[in-house]
Amino acid sequence: MDLSNLVEKAARSVVAVVTRQVDVFTGDVGFGTAFAVGRGFFATAFHVVASADEVVLVTPEGDKAPGRVAAGDPDYDMALIYAELQTPPLPMGSALRLRVGQGVVAIGFPLALLDKPTATFGIVSAVGRTLRAGERVFEFLIQTDAAINPGNSGGPLINMSGEAVGINSAIIAGAQGLGFAVPIDFTRVMLEMVQKYGRYTRPALGIYVTALNKALASLYGFPIDRGLLVAEVLPGSPADEIGIQRGDVITKVDGKTVTNVFELRLYVAEAVVNRRRPRFQVWRTGRILEL
């Protein structure tokens, strides 16, 4: 299998991230990776730029430009940097379409080696992983056996069509030989929000849900076994205002089936970024309701 053309084309969109934390004693310097997703906008991992006072992006050709953190989401470990660099954007795919066994390539600048981006090949080992890293819990992660090392963080995980499907995150370590990437889907929403409104805000419904499965459906006597069971609705929240109740099962958002929390958040965010209210289909005590 020759992936040289695929990697060569994708690597044109990848840049090194050099950060500096201003400190009178140390002046710590950090390294990571980012990739172009739109004119002047580069996606990276949030932890790469979280504590940075200065950010510089550097292309493999040696061009460099100061960067400004345009948006960030620590819960998803993703961020957008704006910089005046003429770098071709990398097409964005979707983690929702990934299947276990698909080939993927991680591209980045590991261990602060800033000559040219390196590539590691692997397969999708799992989709939808939930892991704890420090005090944060990351949801719907892509697990791969492609090597992801410090410095690779923020680089793209691409599929065999050359689309970015995830943002590599070396901060999320589970075991030897495992790598994890944050789904690219919310990055697309973040970029669209920043381009349209100048800032990013993650919408919140104000509910706690759990994914329904056959075991839960059997336990509660539900005639359906797919969807999100609402465990709690916060008083005065948007969910409360539109009539979602505890015990409801959310089955669709805007006509699209939801089977996990990530899909729910993504579809709600897609509606909000387009300035419309999402439509929910819920099962409630034998009835299907549209809210």
Side-chain angles (χ1 to χ4, degrees):
M1 180 186 297
D2 187 351
L3 301 177
S4 56
N5 290 333
L6 178 78
V7 171
E8 183 179 353
K9 184 177 181 180
R12 298 170 189 162
S13 304
V14 180
V15 297
V17 181
V18 182
T19 63
R20 182 168 177 262
Q21 187 176 1
V22 178
D23 187 299
V24 295
F25 298 106
T26 61
D28 289 339
V29 176
F31 299 92
T33 305
F35 57 100
V37 290
R39 180 175 293 182
F41 287 100
F42 296 79
T44 189
F46 178 81
H47 73 268
V48 170
V49 295
S51 58
D53 296 304
E54 298 176 0
V55 177
V56 175
L57 301 187
V58 185
T59 70
E61 293 74 31
D63 298 327
K64 65 179 182 178
R68 170 179 60 85
V69 179
D73 192 326
D75 292 331
Y76 285 157
D77 196 27
M78 63 180 190
L80 286 178
I81 302 171
Y82 182 83
E84 295 289 344
L85 281 177
Q86 301 300 317
T87 308
L90 191 61
M92 286 188 280
S94 174
L96 298 178
R97 296 193 292 268
L98 287 177
R99 299 177 62 189
V100 173
Q102 282 186 243
V104 286
V105 177
I107 302 178
F109 294 87
L111 307 176
L113 300 175
L114 303 184
D115 180 20
K116 293 181 179 179
T118 63
T120 55
F121 175 73
I123 64 168
V124 175
S125 305
V127 180
R129 288 291 196 211
T130 299
L131 289 177
R132 180 179 295 276
E135 296 181 353
R136 298 195 189 111
V137 176
F138 296 92
E139 298 175 318
F140 206 78
L141 296 172
I142 305 164
Q143 180 182 321
T144 176
D145 61 354
I148 297 174
N149 296 294
N152 272 120
S153 278
L157 184 72
I158 65 173
N159 60 19
M160 294 297 95
S161 297
E163 300 170 326
V165 293
I167 299 175
N168 299 323
S169 185
I171 197 173
I172 308 170
Q176 186 174 1
L178 298 184
F180 294 95
V182 177
I184 197 67
D185 302 76
F186 243 106
T187 304
R188 185 187 298 105
V189 173
M190 175 183 277
L191 176 63
E192 193 171 349
M193 278 191 178
V194 171
Q195 290 176 326
K196 284 185 175 181
Y197 312 120
R199 64 190 181 93
Y200 165 75
T201 301
R202 174 148 47 97
L205 269 178
I207 58 175
Y208 293 95
V209 298
T210 186
L212 195 61
N213 53 38
K214 291 182 179 180
L216 277 176
S218 175
L219 179 64
Y220 290 105
F222 292 156
I224 56 175
D225 58 13
R226 295 187 70 189
L228 297 174
L229 175 61
V230 179
E232 184 179 351
V233 180
L234 301 181
S237 66
D240 188 26
E241 291 176 1
I242 65 176
I244 294 177
Q245 299 178 7
R246 181 180 179 183
D248 286 350
V249 177
I250 301 173
T251 56
K252 291 183 179 180
V253 178
D254 287 336
K256 293 174 283 193
T257 301
V258 290
T259 58
N260 56 65
V261 176
F262 179 80
E263 291 174 338
L264 175 65
R265 290 175 175 168
L266 176 63
Y267 299 153
V268 169
E270 287 175 343
V272 170
V273 78
N274 290 303
R275 291 187 172 180
R276 58 178 176 79
R277 285 175 172 258
R279 295 176 292 107
F280 297 88
Q281 184 182 94
V282 303
W283 179 91
R284 179 184 297 166
T285 60
R287 297 180 298 158
I288 298 294
L289 304 177
E290 298 285 341
L291 302 174

